Amino acid sequence: MRTRKITALALGVILIFGMLMIGCSGGRALGEPSEAGESLPEGAAEEPGSQGGQLKTFEAKTLDGGTFTQEDIAAKDVTLINFWATYCGPCVEEMPGLAKLEKALPESVGLVTVCLDGGMKAESAKQILEDAGFEGLTLTEGDGDLADLVGELQYTPTTILVDGDGNLLGEAIIGGRDGGAFAEIINQALRSMGKTEISYEEE
């Protein structure tokens, strides 16, 4: 019995340490992107998966008890995916901008967030999202390609853009941004695909 308690305690410490290692600051992640804030290069959509990542096979749980899969990705021209955590100040600060952007998006463009500690802190995550006015989907855990991407994360917040085939477009965005910055990244991808750009204005 004592051995089991020690083992359980050790695993708990490892899990907490692993969560803390996902720093709440700028840096390189998801295939070693360049400096934080560098936007999607023109024509990036013509070279999908340039960062080596993909979201082609996975199933994820949502904060409200639903599921999200590659079929949801396939239903959109592009999808912006924001990885965050409840303990990360910059993540919480950028959430109102993401909320405003999500409300302005057409059906052809998706925006979801992935709360890395949402499985353990669901109520805290829900409160942060409610305070920010975010009404979109938030994922709390997943398998397959999504788990692989989470395993590569080094910093929060990190945001990626994928096309309908699940290919990562351009480079991961490290650090907090406002809705306008994300809108421009989405539009660069849509332009390179010959798709209609979104309309978004900051207040």
Side-chain angles (χ1 to χ4, degrees):
M1 182 66 71
R2 179 179 177 82
T3 301
R4 288 182 180 177
K5 287 182 178 179
I6 292 173
T7 301
L9 179 61
L11 289 174
V13 169
I14 291 170
L15 178 60
I16 293 171
F17 180 74
M19 291 298 294
L20 291 175
M21 285 299 288
I22 301 177
C24 195
S25 61
R28 293 176 180 265
L30 292 177
E32 295 295 313
S34 60
E35 292 303 312
E38 185 170 324
S39 60
L40 183 72
E42 292 289 349
E46 298 172 5
E47 299 177 354
S50 61
Q51 295 305 311
Q54 59 183 19
L55 275 175
K56 294 181 181 293
T57 306
F58 70 95
E59 182 172 306
K61 293 181 180 179
T62 66
L63 192 59
D64 61 5
T67 58
F68 185 86
T69 71
Q70 65 273 11
E71 293 181 3
D72 296 290
I73 297 285
K76 309 292 184 181
D77 290 333
V78 294
T79 300
L80 193 75
I81 304 174
N82 174 262
F83 296 88
W84 66 287
T86 61
Y87 55 80
C88 170
C91 299
V92 175
E93 290 173 8
E94 78 171 350
M95 196 58 67
L98 286 169
K100 184 173 182 289
L101 175 62
E102 193 276 332
K103 290 180 176 69
L105 293 177
E107 283 295 318
S108 59
V109 178
L111 191 163
V112 299
T113 78
V114 181
C115 185
L116 300 174
D117 59 344
M120 296 181 291
K121 296 187 176 181
E123 292 308 312
S124 295
K126 288 177 181 178
Q127 189 62 57
I128 289 169
L129 294 168
E130 181 179 341
D131 291 346
F134 186 83
E135 299 175 359
L137 287 178
T138 291
L139 315 183
T140 57
E141 57 184 276
D143 59 18
D145 292 338
L146 181 62
D148 291 341
L149 285 178
V150 170
E152 294 181 32
L153 289 175
Q154 296 176 20
Y155 300 94
T156 54
T158 291
T159 306
I160 62 173
L161 189 68
V162 298
D163 65 16
D165 293 325
N167 299 305
L168 268 69
L169 304 177
E171 300 172 335
I173 305 151
I174 312 299
R177 300 290 184 274
D178 59 28
F182 286 130
E184 178 54 29
I185 290 166
I186 290 170
N187 278 336
Q188 287 183 33
L190 292 174
R191 281 196 299 270
S192 68
M193 295 174 174
K195 303 284 186 177
T196 303
E197 296 179 36
I198 66 170
S199 176
Y200 179 81
E201 293 183 5
E202 291 282 3
E203 291 181 353

